[in-house]
Each structure stands twice: as structure tokens, then as C-alpha cells.
Amino acid sequence: MLVESIAFALVGLVTAGAALLALPAYFRAARALVLGTALAAAMVGGVVAHFTVEGRQPAVSVAAAAVAAGVLTSLLARPDLAAGRAPAHRHHPHRSGAHRARRHRAA
């Protein structure tokens, strides 16, 4: 279990490092938060997978650690705040009918 734990930690750190190097503008949060999230996700995901497969398939446990680290690290990504990207607007007045003129009652 000790060797697997080291593997889980390495997977988490590699996942965070790859995310920060590949898409630095997407991660506006502190680098320590990204590293900590990936590390914790890999450790928890790996341990859960280890006990799920009863320790018989360490490759599955390491793969589950990588998936958990990748998924939880991606939750920190903010592509809408990346430099050079226009913010996405959720409110579209022209789609909801707000552009239509109001009808006035005849007096």
C-alpha cells in the first residue's frame, strides 16, 4: 500500500503540473490550490479504488487516482476568465421577447 500511495501522490502532482503548464490562463486560483486539489483527489480516488478491488489490481487503483485527479482539477478551470476571451452572457434580452414594443391601451 505504501508504494501505491507514492504512486497516487505522483499521479496527482503530475496531473496538476500538466494542467498548469498546458492551460495556465484557465487556472486563476492559487497554484497551491490546484496542486493540493489534484493531490488530495488522487490520494482519495486511489485509496477508494484500492479497497474496491481489494488491492489485487494496483494498475486499476492508479488509473482511478488519475481519473479522480483529472476530474477534480478540471473543476477549478475557468475558461471564461482566460485572457482574450469574451465573457459568456447568460441573459439575452432579444431572445426572451424583451425587444418587443409594449402595446398601449387606447385612451
Side-chain angles (χ1 to χ4, degrees):
M1 181 70 181
L2 178 65
V3 174
E4 284 181 336
S5 297
I6 294 170
F8 301 154
L10 288 175
V11 164
L13 293 175
V14 167
T15 302
L20 289 172
L21 287 175
L23 301 167
Y26 281 25
F27 293 97
R28 296 290 183 156
R31 303 298 186 228
L33 177 64
V34 176
L35 286 169
T37 299
L39 182 62
M43 295 298 288
V44 171
V47 169
V48 168
H50 173 80
F51 286 113
T52 301
V53 298
E54 297 176 354
R56 294 184 183 143
Q57 298 175 346
V60 172
S61 299
V62 173
V67 169
V71 168
L72 287 180
T73 302
S74 71
L75 292 177
L76 297 175
R78 294 292 307 268
D80 58 328
L81 297 179
R85 294 190 62 145
H89 297 289
R90 292 183 178 214
H91 178 68
H92 299 283
H94 62 279
R95 290 186 187 168
S96 64
H99 67 282
R100 296 182 191 149
R102 290 184 174 179
R103 295 184 185 201
H104 296 285
R105 285 190 247 169

